């Protein structure tokens, strides 16, 4: 007999049970479901909707059910559709018909919305923690590579030299924005929908704020229809996760390129690479490739939920059960990638000489020659044209700018003096870009200080939120 079987004269088709059940995946919510129920029962007791004795029996029973689910002893069945009804059924099996009082003044619609929020709260904390670890790993490598110079690229063509520290810090600031977005989403996740009932609240004199406080929410969802229909907070999470994945994927792409023989800028540690079953010489950057590849499913989960929600009338519709697998998958995919990422960055070997060589054997100091001419009062556009001709002739002669004699320079422009050789030195080129946010040494050190402070702020936020979600039961 189904928990809702009263108005039915027939049992459901077996295929219907299988098709509509969510227990195979929403059992991940078991802990949160029981936490929510414990708070709900306590509120029912305090509001004198059920008596002390019944409340106590239900609370004890719920804790036993939790233990049985954790140990694998509990039988979760598709017949009881989802985690909510399975828990209720297990509770009734455990303590008898008094267990049936648990669902007073509540619907699975507000219950599932609550469980999702409780689950996501924990996930946000775990993901921010992992992101901070990635930031720390990048910052550590940046510190070790403050004087490592490599070509900066535009259009994947060598453009102007930068410090490796500057390049790595670019990613640190991307991940910082990702963390800030996760933190900002907290205030929309951390509201309690419980008490919204199926859609229109309840006739019982419940206290929604009491439940919210018990579960350490910052407040309650103000409108019952919205409370049970809102999955924006899941979409927002999936969108933030997509940005994180996109940033990870871009960095992966660079790591993959840099570890190729063509670049030969880094070597990823053996522990983060795999071999080929056929070609004995191969060492493949599989982890980086897979992180890049899994970006597809993270984007897919976002698109999937946006599409599911599009056009749904108020309030709850069964379509919304489709919110879960994508969310779980994204949380797990992201956690998997982030956990590997920090140690992969930490352990990578930087081939400083090869990076420097790529700067020396190139024309990435050409802008500096043009800027030098501007210093001689030549308009930038003319300077650009002169340097263009110099570079062209160098390419034809298989020479670099530093190989030209002063006489050769003066044929193009009599104002060029012998200080040009210092100006065009790659290290001088980098340090000449002494502007806020630029690659000059002190400017990169400033960025490191900023990153360091932001990491401390993130850690403070994580500590505070961890305390806030500490399980009370
Ligand atoms: N398993 C359902 C879901 O995840 C729970 C809510 C069901 N509500 C209902 N009225 N059928 O969406």
């Amino acid at each position: 007999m189904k928990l809702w079987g009263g108005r039915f004269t027939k049992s459901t088709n077996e295929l219907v049970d299988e098709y509509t059940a969510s227990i195979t995946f929403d059992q991940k919510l078991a802990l949160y479901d029981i936490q929510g129920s414990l708070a709900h029962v306590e509120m029912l007791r305090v509001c004198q909707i059920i008596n002390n004795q019944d409340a106590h029996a239900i609370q004890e029973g719920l804790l036993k059910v939790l233990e049985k689910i954790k140990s694998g002893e509990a039988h979760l069945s598709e017949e009881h559709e989802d985690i909510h009804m399975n828990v209720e059924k297990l509770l009734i099996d455990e303590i008898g018909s008094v267990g049936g009082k648990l669902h007073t003044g509540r619907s699975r619609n507000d219950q599932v919305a609550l469980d999702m929020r409780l689950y996501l709260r924990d996930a946000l904390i775990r993901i921010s923690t992992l992101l901070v670890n990635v930031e720390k790993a990048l910052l550590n490598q940046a510190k070790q590579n403050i004087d490592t110079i490599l070509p900066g690229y535009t259009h994947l063509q060598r453009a102007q030299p930068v410090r490796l520290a500057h390049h790595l810090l670019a990613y640190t600031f991307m991940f910082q924005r990702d963390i800030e977005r996760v933190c900002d989403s907290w205030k929309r996740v951390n509201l309690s929908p419980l008490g919204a009932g199926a859609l229109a609240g309840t006739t019982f004199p419940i206290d929604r704020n009491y439940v919210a406080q018990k579960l350490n929410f910052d407040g309650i969802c103000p409108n019952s229809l919205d409370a049970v229909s809102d999955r924006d907070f899941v979409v927002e999470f999936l969108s933030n996760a997509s940005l994180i994945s996109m940033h990870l994927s871009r960095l992966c792409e660079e790591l993959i390129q840099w570890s190729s023989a063509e670049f030969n800028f880094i070597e990823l540690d053996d522990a983060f690479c795999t071999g080929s079953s056929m070609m004995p010489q191969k060492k493949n950057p599989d982890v980086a490739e897979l992180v890049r590849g899994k970006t597809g499913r993270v984007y897919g989960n976002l698109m999937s939920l946006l599409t599911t929600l599009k056009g749904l009338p108020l309030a709850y519709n069964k379509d919304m059960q489709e919110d879960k697998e994508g969310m779980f998958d994204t949380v797990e995919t992201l956690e998997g990638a982030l956990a590997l990422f920090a140690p992969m960055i930490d352990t990578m070997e930087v081939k400083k000489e090869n990076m420097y060589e790529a700067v020396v054997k190139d024309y990435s100091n050409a802008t500096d020659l043009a800027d030098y001419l501007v210093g001689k009062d030549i308009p930038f556009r003319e300077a650009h044209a002169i340097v263009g001709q110099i570079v062209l002739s160098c390419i034809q002669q298989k020479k670099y700018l530093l190989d030209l004699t002063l006489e050769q320079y003066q044929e193009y422009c009599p104002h060029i003096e012998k200080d040009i050789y210092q100006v065009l030195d790659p290290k001088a080129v980098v340090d000449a870009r002494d502007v806020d946010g630029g690659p000059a040494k002190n400017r990169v050190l400033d960025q490191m200080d900023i990153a360091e402070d932001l990491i401390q702020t993130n850690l403070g936020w994580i500590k505070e939120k961890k305390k806030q979600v500490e399980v009370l039961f």
Side-chain angles (χ1 to χ4, degrees), residues 80-98:
H80 297 298
E81 208 173 311
D82 54 27
I83 187 62
H84 325 293
M85 288 200 296
N86 268 279
V87 168
E88 192 175 325
K89 177 71 174 60
L90 290 167
L91 177 69
I92 293 169
D93 290 348
E94 192 72 43
I95 64 169
S97 65
V98 63

Side-chain angles (χ1 to χ4, degrees), residues 22 26 81-82 84 108-109 112 316 318 320-321 324:
S22 52
D26 68 10
E81 208 173 311
D82 54 27
H84 325 293
R108 278 184 294 156
N109 297 352
V112 69
Y316 177 84
K318 185 73 168 179
M320 290 161 75
Q321 182 168 286
K324 278 167 215 60

Side-chain angles (χ1 to χ4, degrees), residues 354-373:
N354 295 354
M355 289 185 174
Y356 194 64
E357 175 99 344
V359 172
V360 173
K361 300 241 166 84
D362 192 56
Y363 303 94
S364 55
N365 46 3
T367 314
D368 299 75
L369 179 54
D371 289 352
Y372 177 87
L373 296 181

